[in-house]
Amino acid sequence: MKRVFLLVLVVGTETGLAQSYDKLFSIGWDNNIPLSNTSYVKKNSSRGMRASIRQFMNEQFVMGGDFSWAAYEDYSPRQTYPTSGGALTTDFFKYVYSYGLTLSGGYYFRPGEKIRPYAGLGLGASYNDFAMYYNVYSADDKKWGVLLRPEAGVLIRFTEHGSWGALAAVHYDYASTKSTDAGYSNFSNVGIQLGIVVIDW
């Protein structure tokens, strides 16, 4: 009976270890192109970053979370604008500061390979600060909304069993944040991410 118990214990332990999957952490640069209301900001944001944490649930499916940040800015040259009380001559500095926090899942193709394409989807919250500076005045409108982020990319391990790798991805962000002052019914963008990955940390 002791031998049977010992055999069951050993097999159970080995099975449990065999089903232990990697964790994944990534951080990288995120370049974003605005799609909605480009009359407010039309320039792409090269000032962006994204950090992600994932847990492989099996060899191909992952769950985790993301934090993202991007700053968009645009400039309107000096002009004269008529008002009800006269006219205002000024230039405009316009900014959108965008923050996102999502629960994300993904599916990795080609398990066990050094190069692994993947597709994923994130759902969470977005916080946008729409700011404008003109003459000696300023105005901003801060809004929360729902964030939806589908993405596709590739994970590349530097060595076959190494812990370090690189990540490249493209994503589309749709946030339900609205700003009447800045003329937004939503805020959407497409982005390209390049980052460093630590696997099984």
Side-chain angles (χ1 to χ4, degrees):
M1 185 66 180
K2 287 183 179 179
R3 290 180 181 177
V4 173
F5 176 74
L6 185 60
L7 180 63
V8 170
L9 181 64
V10 169
V11 171
T13 303
E14 289 181 352
T15 302
L17 290 174
Q19 292 178 348
S20 175
Y21 298 101
D22 293 346
K23 299 180 198 66
L24 184 150
F25 174 76
S26 66
I27 189 166
W29 170 70
D30 202 18
N31 183 66
N32 295 282
I33 301 167
L35 300 178
S36 53
N37 191 16
T38 53
S39 62
Y40 189 82
V41 288
K42 61 182 177 293
K43 294 181 180 178
N44 69 308
S45 166
S46 58
R47 293 190 296 152
M49 61 82 61
R50 187 163 153 204
S52 305
I53 186 168
R54 299 282 189 274
Q55 171 68 55
F56 276 87
M57 311 308 290
N58 55 39
E59 290 185 347
Q60 292 181 281
F61 183 69
V62 296
M63 286 293 294
D66 296 341
F67 171 75
S68 59
W69 171 82
Y72 303 82
E73 63 179 82
D74 214 330
Y75 174 72
S76 296
R78 185 180 180 88
Q79 294 184 43
T80 299
Y81 302 89
T83 67
S84 58
L88 174 68
T89 301
T90 185
D91 52 0
F92 285 91
F93 294 88
K94 294 174 283 189
Y95 301 88
V96 178
Y97 301 101
S98 180
Y99 304 86
L101 189 63
T102 60
L103 178 65
S104 303
Y107 185 84
Y108 281 78
F109 304 92
R110 302 175 61 188
E113 299 290 329
K114 281 178 64 177
I115 300 176
R116 301 187 64 182
Y118 75 91
L121 181 66
L123 179 64
S126 175
Y127 176 77
N128 285 45
D129 182 5
F130 304 93
M132 181 183 293
Y133 300 91
Y134 55 100
N135 205 324
V136 295
Y137 307 102
S138 66
D140 68 335
D141 194 12
K142 300 175 181 179
K143 299 292 184 179
W144 283 93
V146 175
L147 175 61
L148 180 67
R149 178 187 289 138
E151 68 175 285
V154 62
L155 169 66
I156 305 169
R157 267 188 152 138
F158 293 144
T159 59
E160 188 172 353
H161 301 291
S163 295
W164 289 87
L167 176 73
V170 59
H171 60 88
Y172 169 76
D173 294 5
Y174 174 86
S176 65
T177 49
K178 297 180 180 180
S179 172
T180 305
D181 295 345
Y184 283 92
S185 59
N186 64 74
F187 190 83
S188 60
N189 63 274
V190 63
I192 298 171
Q193 182 191 11
L194 299 173
I196 297 294
V197 179
V198 183
I199 306 163
D200 198 20
W201 48 277

